[in-house]
Amino acid sequence: MSSIRRYEKIMEVLLTKKEVTVAELSDKLGVTGKTIREDLTRLEEQGLIARVHGGAVLAQSDQLGILSSKAPVIKHAAEKASIAAKVIQEIQPHDIIALDGGSTTLEIARHLENQPLTVITNDVYIISELASKDMIRLVVPGGHRVRNMLAGPEAGSYIRQLNIQKAYISATGIHPQHGLSIYTGELIEFKRALIETAREVIAVINHHKFGQTALRTFAALDELTRIITDDLPNDIAKPYKEAGVVIV
């Protein structure tokens, strides 16, 4: 197993358990404790984890951008509700939209009225939220489950055959140089398919995630049509606007 794949597996475990020991990771990944400790040192240098006695915890436990498999708990709920309200204003009847998996996009789904729309999503919580809204045509690509999301090459291939007007994309972090990033590489194929297919690519990201970087970059800033966020201080917004990014 390559080092980058081990890093992803370590982050996946932490996203679920919040804390993990060297012994647990060594057993799960089939490598020595020495290798795990070296991996944890590397991840700590990147600011992704914090070392604790015998193991590690997430460095940014309140900024995951991905829901656990247990319950859809929304952190920074007020900010995400504000973003969702802005998104709802630009969605028109009969639009074909995509909602990437994540807590902010789940909030958008909760705000959607039961109206004639087509919604493509890979998030099982969003699927559950929209299933009762019978006027919304729900399109679910195939794939295997990664926590609360469906992923895999078949999902990406399916997405690339669709005519998507607006794709609302989530991320763990957004950075002027490193673009949009996430912890888990398995989710990148779906995100890339949305970005490459949709007429408009809209990142929905609360202000806490600006200036943050996760393990894997999946999009550059110039691939976005715009960013919809909550109240963003001018000094934080400045480098993104200078890079030509439209911020709503």
Side-chain angles (χ1 to χ4, degrees):
M1 184 184 295
S2 67
S3 58
I4 189 68
R5 188 65 182 137
R6 289 199 308 274
Y7 298 160
E8 289 180 1
K9 288 293 185 183
I10 291 169
M11 296 309 301
E12 287 174 12
V13 172
L14 282 168
L15 284 166
T16 301
K17 298 184 64 176
K18 306 298 186 293
E19 183 172 352
V20 69
T21 67
V22 170
E24 287 173 326
L25 290 172
S26 177
D27 181 62
K28 183 176 181 64
L29 301 183
V31 296
T32 65
K34 178 177 181 293
T35 297
I36 294 297
R37 283 188 287 273
E38 291 172 350
D39 290 344
L40 294 180
T41 297
R42 177 59 177 155
L43 291 170
E44 186 174 44
E45 289 172 351
Q46 296 180 49
L48 299 175
I49 68 163
R51 298 289 298 275
V52 296
H53 181 70
V57 297
L58 285 172
Q60 302 172 35
S61 61
D62 63 340
Q63 299 178 28
L64 303 185
I66 304 173
L67 300 170
S68 74
S69 60
K70 295 180 180 178
V73 178
I74 303 295
K75 295 184 178 181
H76 305 302
E79 291 94 332
K80 293 175 182 180
S82 173
I83 294 170
K86 291 184 176 75
V87 170
I88 295 302
Q89 292 174 6
E90 65 179 39
I91 295 176
Q92 302 297 319
H94 306 290
D95 272 353
I96 301 172
I97 70 169
L99 296 178
D100 185 21
S103 53
T104 302
T105 46
L106 174 59
E107 196 66 16
I108 294 169
R110 288 172 172 168
H111 280 70
L112 277 176
E113 294 183 3
N114 188 16
Q115 59 180 309
L117 289 173
T118 298
V119 178
I120 300 103
T121 188
N122 67 330
D123 188 312
V124 296
Y125 294 147
I126 294 176
I127 294 166
S128 177
E129 179 69 30
L130 296 180
S132 62
K133 299 179 181 181
D134 58 351
M135 294 183 71
I136 294 178
R137 183 184 183 191
L138 191 56
V139 177
V140 181
H144 60 277
R145 183 168 177 171
V146 180
R147 288 183 303 281
N148 59 294
M149 284 174 266
L150 303 175
E154 62 271 38
S157 297
Y158 182 77
I159 288 296
R160 287 183 170 89
Q161 300 174 47
L162 305 179
N163 294 315
I164 300 171
Q165 293 168 309
K166 304 180 182 86
Y168 295 95
I169 307 293
S170 63
T172 301
I174 182 168
H175 190 277
Q177 283 76 49
H178 304 298
L180 276 66
S181 57
I182 197 170
Y183 287 121
T184 307
E186 285 181 281
L187 304 176
I188 290 178
E189 170 63 17
F190 185 84
K191 290 176 179 291
R192 287 303 312 168
L194 292 179
I195 291 165
E196 293 165 10
T197 304
R199 296 181 205 169
E200 297 182 60
V201 180
I202 305 110
V204 286
I205 302 176
N206 72 73
H207 75 272
H208 300 279
K209 297 181 180 180
F210 280 75
Q212 303 294 330
T213 304
L215 189 62
R216 298 285 295 274
T217 292
F218 66 86
L221 294 180
D222 62 9
E223 294 183 286
L224 303 177
T225 306
R226 59 187 170 278
I227 299 169
I228 298 180
T229 186
D230 57 309
D231 293 332
L232 189 66
N234 288 331
D235 59 328
I236 295 177
K238 184 178 178 181
Y240 300 91
K241 292 180 177 178
E242 289 176 346
V245 179
V246 175
I247 298 179
V248 179

